[in-house]
Amino acid sequence: MTATVLAGWLGVIEQAASRYGLDFASLLQRSGIDPELLQQGTARVPQRKISDLMQLAMVMSNDRGFALTVARQVRPPSWYSLGYAIWASDTLLQGCQRLQHCAALFADAFHVQLIEHDGELQVVLRQAPLLRDPLLMLDWEVFAATIVLTIRHLHPAKPQPLRVVLPGPEPEMTAPFKRLFGEALAWQGEEVVLTFSASLMKEWLPGRNPELARQHDELSQRYLQAMNHRSFSRQVYEQLLSRDSLREVEAAQVAEALHMNLRTFQRRLQDEECCFRELLDQARHALCCRYLNNEQLSMGEISYLLGFANVSNLYRAFRRWRQEAPGEYRQRRRHDSLACLQTGGRSAQALIPVTFR
């Protein structure tokens, strides 16, 4: 899955960057993001580019807590109609339920789950399955901080979470994180877990407005329906990535997996000016990079899994994709991973150019 984020979040990151005096136009250019997207709030930006933009801004600002600064700039319009619906909710629980059902509107890289037990309500953020580019620590931090700050804005008591668990290693400077999340903060989890008092989450909010919330719920549903309709090619691509092997895969097999006949399948792709062969090539590219990161797989095994007739075809395809040999890519990624471990960040990886209409 190639995750995306609502383009309106670029404005949020721009506001955060301005607090450090950073040249945002330069940051956008270095992250491969079209500056025109700043004026297109309902467009979509690849999650990976947003992640790289924040990572670069964090380095340039020399502030490990840059994600927290980003979260502090979030306002209802940053979430489009979902933001207004959450702010008009009757209770914090209802707002979290809206987030659970419509999170993909602003970011589809993670899923939200609500768990109530023993008088506590947990808001759990999990990475979406089949995500091609794993989320960074900064991504988890900005999502978690945004939820906590929104809850604090909405409730007059400005409640703190009872407990917070964040993924990734504990940073050297924990003070900014504990000021925002509270002292009961731990790292090294595999997901974000925000724990609140269940009774507090069910209290009436002073700013509740059911009619306003309903209208924005309808707008959110229309946006999500249009988003899903436009991305049939994404569904096909994700179906290809979910397979154990791309050997001898045919369009008819994927159409069957998506519960439609081949003619409808081909028409849907044509409507998006796309073809199955193009998506199969993109899926091979993405999976090849993933397989090369696994040192246990030989070139012959990778070639077989991707459906190439021989290793020579794999080499020719990889040079077309990335202008280098697969062995060179594997060696460079090994070097980047070692550097990443030494610096505690994520190594820079070339973007895989996948475009969905």
Side-chain angles (χ1 to χ4, degrees):
M1 170 182 171
T2 303
T4 59
V5 179
L6 198 67
W9 278 64
L10 289 173
V12 177
I13 301 172
E14 181 182 31
Q15 291 178 51
S18 69
R19 293 181 173 271
Y20 300 90
L22 301 180
D23 183 348
F24 195 65
S26 175
L27 294 178
L28 289 175
Q29 182 179 23
R30 293 175 63 180
S31 303
I33 298 175
D34 185 350
E36 290 295 323
L37 289 172
L38 276 168
Q39 312 304 321
Q40 302 173 20
T42 58
R44 311 293 296 185
V45 184
Q47 171 71 57
R48 175 57 185 269
K49 291 190 176 185
I50 293 287
S51 300
D52 289 343
L53 174 64
M54 290 202 300
Q55 180 89 341
L56 180 59
M58 182 191 73
V59 172
M60 298 301 293
S61 67
N62 196 31
D63 182 2
R64 176 61 184 80
F66 180 78
L68 308 184
T69 303
V70 173
R72 290 188 175 97
Q73 315 312 311
V74 174
R75 297 295 182 270
S78 311
W79 307 47
Y80 188 51
S81 52
L82 175 59
Y84 288 108
I86 289 175
W87 279 65
S89 295
D90 289 341
T91 65
L92 293 175
L93 174 60
Q94 191 181 78
C96 288
Q97 289 169 337
R98 286 192 163 96
L99 177 64
Q100 180 181 29
H101 296 140
C102 299
L105 187 153
F106 76 94
D108 54 12
F110 67 94
H111 294 165
V112 179
Q113 181 180 11
L114 304 179
I115 303 173
E116 185 172 355
H117 181 68
D118 286 344
E120 296 181 348
L121 181 76
Q122 290 184 336
V123 181
V124 183
L125 307 184
R126 294 193 174 96
Q127 185 168 288
L130 303 178
L131 196 65
R132 193 185 64 193
D133 299 312
L135 293 170
L136 293 183
M137 289 182 293
L138 269 69
D139 299 319
W140 292 114
E141 290 163 5
V142 74
F143 294 149
T146 297
I147 292 172
V148 170
L149 287 171
T150 299
I151 286 174
R152 197 176 299 165
H153 284 311
L154 292 176
H155 198 287
K158 301 189 180 301
Q160 284 278 64
L162 302 177
R163 293 180 302 280
V164 173
V165 177
L166 297 177
E170 181 175 337
E172 292 184 7
M173 296 291 292
T174 62
F177 294 87
K178 290 188 175 181
R179 279 197 297 271
L180 193 151
F181 292 109
E183 290 294 326
L185 172 61
W187 280 268
Q188 299 295 352
E190 295 183 358
E191 55 200 16
V192 170
V193 182
L194 309 172
T195 304
F196 297 91
S197 162
S199 60
L200 179 142
M201 298 291 280
K202 296 175 183 178
E203 293 177 2
W204 290 107
L205 295 174
R208 62 186 182 276
N209 188 322
E211 177 59 21
L212 183 63
R214 184 189 63 78
Q215 292 181 14
H216 283 96
D217 283 341
E218 292 176 357
L219 185 57
S220 295
Q221 290 304 314
R222 288 201 295 271
Y223 180 93
L224 287 171
Q225 289 170 5
M227 177 180 161
N228 292 334
H229 178 73
R230 288 195 304 265
S231 59
F232 178 69
S233 55
R234 174 196 292 272
Q235 296 176 44
V236 175
Y237 177 75
E238 292 173 2
Q239 173 60 221
L240 289 169
L241 287 186
S242 70
R243 292 174 172 263
D244 295 331
S245 169
L246 294 181
R247 191 166 189 81
E248 300 180 354
V249 63
E250 300 289 343
Q253 297 170 337
V254 179
E256 183 179 0
L258 294 174
H259 309 292
M260 63 182 63
N261 60 49
L262 181 59
R263 187 171 182 175
T264 302
F265 176 85
Q266 292 172 331
R267 178 182 56 77
R268 291 283 301 274
L269 287 179
Q270 288 172 359
D271 288 344
E272 297 185 13
E273 299 179 355
C274 191
C275 69
F276 179 73
R277 182 176 297 179
E278 176 187 352
L279 293 172
L280 178 59
D281 187 66
Q282 292 177 352
R284 280 175 168 158
H285 181 185
L287 286 175
C288 187
C289 293
R290 183 187 301 174
Y291 292 154
L292 286 169
N293 289 333
N294 183 349
E295 300 281 352
Q296 304 302 314
L297 291 176
S298 69
M299 294 299 175
E301 290 171 322
I302 293 174
S303 176
Y304 179 85
L305 289 171
L306 294 177
F308 288 109
N310 51 57
V311 175
S312 296
N313 288 347
L314 167 64
Y315 273 71
R316 281 194 290 271
F318 200 83
R319 283 195 176 276
R320 172 170 57 83
W321 291 328
R322 305 189 76 88
Q323 293 75 54
E324 63 180 334
E328 294 170 342
Y329 174 87
R330 173 174 272 177
Q331 184 176 10
R332 180 167 53 79
R333 287 291 298 117
R334 186 188 302 122
H335 177 270
D336 287 349
S337 296
L338 289 174
C340 176
L341 289 173
Q342 293 169 356
T343 60
R346 182 181 70 181
S347 56
Q349 303 177 31
L351 297 177
I352 300 174
V354 179
T355 303
F356 298 100
R357 278 81 177 180

